Amino acid sequence: MGRLNKMLYNYVFFTTFPVIIIIQNLSFYFFPFLVSELYRKRNLLFKNMNRVDLFAIMFAIGAILSVLMSLLSPVENSFTKGIAVLPNYLYWIFLVLLFSFNAIQLDYKVIYKAAFWGVTISTIYFYTISEALGNASAFFIGLQQNMYSFILICFAPMLVFYVQEKWGQSRAVIASILVVLAGTLSGSRSGSILTILTCFLTLYSNRLNILRIGLIAALLFTGYLSMNLPVVKDTVFQLNERTYSLIYETETTLAEDESYLVRLAQVEKGLGLFSENPFFGIGLNNFNSRSYNIEGKFEGFERLTGVDNLDQLSSHNSYINVLAEGGLFLFIPFVGLLLSFFLYFITKFKSIPDFQKPFFWGLLGMAIHFYFIFALVNVFAWLLMALVASAIKYNSQK
């Protein structure tokens, strides 16, 4: 393995196994060496720009404008909070551009291998020593449920594809079952439901035709009917009570589930903050600290009366958070970036190489999950978007 591939492997591995922290995640320290190795191969940026590159650059500009305009905010420390996170936003965009403009230089086999081992070891760590080591060590963090489930949602398709290519279809099916089980037992509803979707698509999307679509529809209908069998209900309940409630007690759960109601409240807050400054937003990193009178014009709001500091909680919604903190100058490039990815995937599906499709399936799971969690501010999401951007550029240059 050459030096470039070693740096690439280490960067992806320690991104998908993000528990070693020395001020920053360990992957951060491999990034300059990865940049250096790519620089030796060719010019880094701004050659053969496409729509994805343009939206990424616009997003960076939107982030800068949001922070600068927060200087005019009457709320104390708005600019300070924004400038503290701005380097991260610029780093993530540089990552997307770096992978896009150097797509031909990236060895995707190395990327898949690193992601496979990163997710695998993260799973072992999560279910064994995460809590104990995270509480006892200065350099290891505990892998929280939300972080772990997000790693699965983003990178499980890559793990399944790696197993499929290396050990065959039957073992890939087993790997999918284990991934879904890991997501379910973690207690995350998204981790269970979205991994089922993306792992299934990774395994079978390339084999779909009219006959198989009909067969899948019949199986889904049969599965739907069997969901009411006592043995099935008991199994779902034992695996994950929250998923059970969502499936079998949907209306009651949505009306009574505090997590869901908090999310509705934060959507109201986010839209209200957006109306205060629709172009540039309230400033990056200001959502939690900005006070807002949440009126709660939705069923079940009265159940949140006991929640302390409701208006200072996380937005639990990446789209609403971007809209509120960055306004249209940040939100439009962000949505444009995602839409560019999906439009390409839909229109070019048949011609996209099989090894690239797991990137897009992970992106699909991530984009859905974005509505239920503010997960934009971590490198997992941006590494996945960088891989999708590189796939698009790779296909245009091969």
Side-chain angles (χ1 to χ4, degrees):
M1 186 184 293
R3 183 173 171 81
L4 171 58
N5 284 343
K6 287 180 180 178
M7 294 302 105
L8 181 61
Y9 179 92
N10 288 329
Y11 182 75
V12 175
F13 174 79
F14 286 110
T15 299
T16 53
F17 177 59
V19 305
I20 304 176
I21 303 293
I22 305 175
I23 301 177
Q24 293 282 343
N25 180 279
L26 197 59
S27 65
F28 180 79
Y29 298 103
F30 288 100
F31 189 69
F33 297 101
L34 177 60
V35 173
S36 175
E37 290 303 313
L38 288 171
Y39 181 76
R40 296 171 186 270
K41 301 293 182 180
R42 55 170 292 171
N43 293 328
L44 283 177
L45 304 178
F46 307 119
K47 290 185 64 176
N48 303 316
M49 288 186 62
N50 59 16
R51 181 169 52 190
V52 168
D53 303 328
L54 181 61
F55 277 124
I57 293 170
M58 289 173 60
F59 183 88
I61 294 172
I64 294 170
L65 289 175
S66 175
V67 172
L68 291 177
M69 295 304 293
S70 67
L71 283 168
L72 305 177
S73 173
V75 180
E76 186 179 0
N77 294 327
S78 291
F79 175 76
T80 303
K81 290 179 179 294
I83 203 69
V85 299
L86 181 60
N88 290 332
Y89 279 75
L90 300 181
Y91 160 50
W92 297 325
I93 290 301
F94 182 70
L95 172 62
V96 172
L97 295 174
L98 181 74
F99 275 45
S100 175
F101 285 109
N102 293 275
I104 297 296
Q105 309 301 328
L106 302 178
D107 189 330
Y108 292 96
K109 292 181 180 179
V110 170
I111 292 171
Y112 269 95
K113 183 178 181 180
F116 168 80
W117 285 112
V119 175
T120 299
I121 298 176
S122 288
T123 300
I124 296 171
Y125 181 83
F126 178 79
Y127 282 104
T128 54
I129 60 174
S130 173
E131 185 174 351
L133 192 57
N135 292 332
S137 172
F139 302 111
F140 287 83
I141 62 170
L143 197 55
Q144 300 299 316
Q145 179 203 79
N146 285 341
M147 181 185 293
Y148 173 65
S149 63
F150 192 61
I151 291 172
L152 287 184
I153 289 167
C154 290
F155 301 107
M158 294 174 60
L159 180 149
V160 171
F161 184 82
Y162 180 83
V163 173
Q164 188 178 43
E165 290 295 297
K166 191 170 182 65
W167 293 297
Q169 180 73 7
S170 60
R171 293 187 181 182
V173 172
I174 295 173
S176 297
I177 294 172
L178 293 175
V179 165
V180 172
L181 188 61
T184 302
L185 293 177
S186 73
S188 169
R189 287 175 289 195
S190 299
S192 57
I193 295 171
L194 291 178
T195 50
I196 291 174
L197 172 67
T198 58
C199 288
F200 173 83
L201 291 170
T202 301
L203 286 171
Y204 299 112
S205 61
N206 291 332
R207 303 182 179 187
L208 294 182
N209 54 37
I210 294 177
L211 179 62
R212 285 174 175 159
I213 290 174
L215 178 61
I216 290 171
L219 290 173
L220 289 175
F221 181 70
T222 303
Y224 173 77
L225 295 178
S226 68
M227 290 295 289
N228 289 313
L229 294 175
V231 64
V232 175
K233 295 176 71 173
D234 289 343
T235 300
V236 174
F237 183 83
Q238 292 298 324
L239 289 174
N240 192 318
E241 292 185 25
R242 298 178 71 198
T243 300
Y244 175 92
S245 299
L246 186 62
I247 294 173
Y248 295 105
E249 302 168 356
T250 306
E251 291 186 9
T252 302
T253 298
L254 295 182
E256 298 180 356
D257 184 80
E258 184 176 294
S259 175
Y260 173 75
L261 296 174
V262 166
R263 283 169 166 80
L264 288 182
Q266 299 312 311
V267 168
E268 180 185 320
K269 175 185 175 180
L271 293 176
L273 294 177
F274 164 70
S275 66
E276 293 180 9
N277 192 339
F279 293 106
F280 303 106
I282 61 173
L284 300 182
N285 199 30
N286 276 271
F287 189 98
N288 295 26
S289 59
R290 180 65 65 90
S291 296
Y292 184 82
N293 181 30
I294 301 175
E295 297 181 10
K297 298 177 180 178
F298 53 86
E299 183 181 355
F301 178 70
E302 65 279 0
R303 294 181 176 275
L304 299 180
T305 54
V307 177
D308 295 332
N309 302 318
L310 178 62
D311 71 328
Q312 295 178 25
L313 299 179
S314 167
S315 64
H316 295 288
N317 188 315
S318 297
Y319 302 105
I320 290 297
N321 207 103
V322 169
L323 186 65
E325 290 188 350
L328 294 176
F329 273 81
L330 191 68
F331 182 76
I332 290 176
F334 176 56
V335 173
L337 189 63
L338 293 179
L339 287 178
S340 295
F341 291 149
F342 287 120
L343 285 174
Y344 178 87
F345 189 46
I346 293 169
T347 57
K348 303 290 186 180
F349 182 81
K350 291 185 177 180
S351 61
I352 294 175
D354 290 344
F355 75 88
Q356 294 177 352
K357 289 177 181 176
F359 302 157
F360 290 91
W361 295 134
L363 184 77
L364 174 63
M366 183 191 77
I368 296 172
H369 195 46
F370 268 170
Y371 190 78
F372 303 100
I373 190 171
F374 181 44
L376 188 68
V377 288
N378 65 63
V379 73
F380 317 133
W382 292 99
L383 173 59
L384 186 58
M385 286 191 275
L387 292 172
V388 174
S390 74
I392 294 173
K393 188 65 68 70
Y394 177 91
N395 295 337
S396 69
Q397 295 178 352
K398 65 178 181 180

